[in-house]
Amino acid sequence: MRDADMAGAVVAAERRVLGVLRGCGARASVAGAARALSFGGEHGALWLAAGLTCAAVDPERRAAWLRGTALTAGAQLASMGVKRVVRRPRPGAAEYAPLVRTAGRHSFPSSHATSAVAAAVAFGALHPTARRLAAPVAAAMCLSRLVVGVHYPSDVAAGALLGAVTATLGRAWLRAPGPTCPAPPGGGRG
């Protein structure tokens, strides 16, 4: 198979997968969940809020949660930088009418997928409950980008890979000893 034929086959396969998953958005419950994930994942907001919340309620690991949140934000920024270089247009609105508005017109990589997977990897390394919760939510967020019709499967896969690599490379920093928070005056008793 020639390179051009191979590329055409990949594009056709991506369009078929996107068509099937975008079709799932015809169900009101699926569309509502996908829209909610899209809204929560915009600019990594859900993941940044989760990391900051965990930092607030887990003083023993506060520094690590803050580093995990910083890794997630860094992955988000890296994704936005790659988008500006690649400049791949989003799927055509006529063919795959999107269920949500997007902050930008470029598709590759999916920043939602990048921040979701970065958070799942980083936060999952910090606490077993975070591992159990973040991974399925991150997977749902990745799929939601196809259901709402604003990304191709390769956009989501590339975003997920970028998020995983970013968080994995930062793991040593994530677990580095950090400053501990002093106990409140009076030993914490009110």
Side-chain angles (χ1 to χ4, degrees), residues 6-23:
M6 179 71 86
V10 169
V11 168
E14 276 208 299
R15 290 188 179 281
R16 282 192 302 273
V17 170
L18 178 57
V20 168
L21 290 171
R22 174 59 191 88

Side-chain angles (χ1 to χ4, degrees), residues 65-153:
W65 286 113
L66 292 173
R67 288 185 187 118
T69 304
L71 285 172
T72 301
Q76 174 77 16
L77 290 172
S79 174
M80 292 166 58
V82 173
K83 273 185 196 231
R84 291 179 189 268
V85 171
V86 174
R87 306 177 73 79
R88 181 185 194 184
R90 291 189 185 275
E95 193 174 358
Y96 307 104
L99 298 178
V100 296
R101 296 182 69 181
T102 59
R105 60 180 186 214
H106 299 122
S107 184
F108 184 91
S110 166
S111 294
H112 279 69
T114 301
S115 61
V117 172
V121 171
F123 299 162
L126 297 176
H127 198 279
T129 300
R131 188 176 314 115
R132 286 191 302 274
L133 295 175
V137 174
M141 186 166 290
C142 289
L143 282 173
S144 79
R145 303 311 285 161
L146 301 170
V147 172
V148 298
V150 297
H151 283 289
Y152 294 103

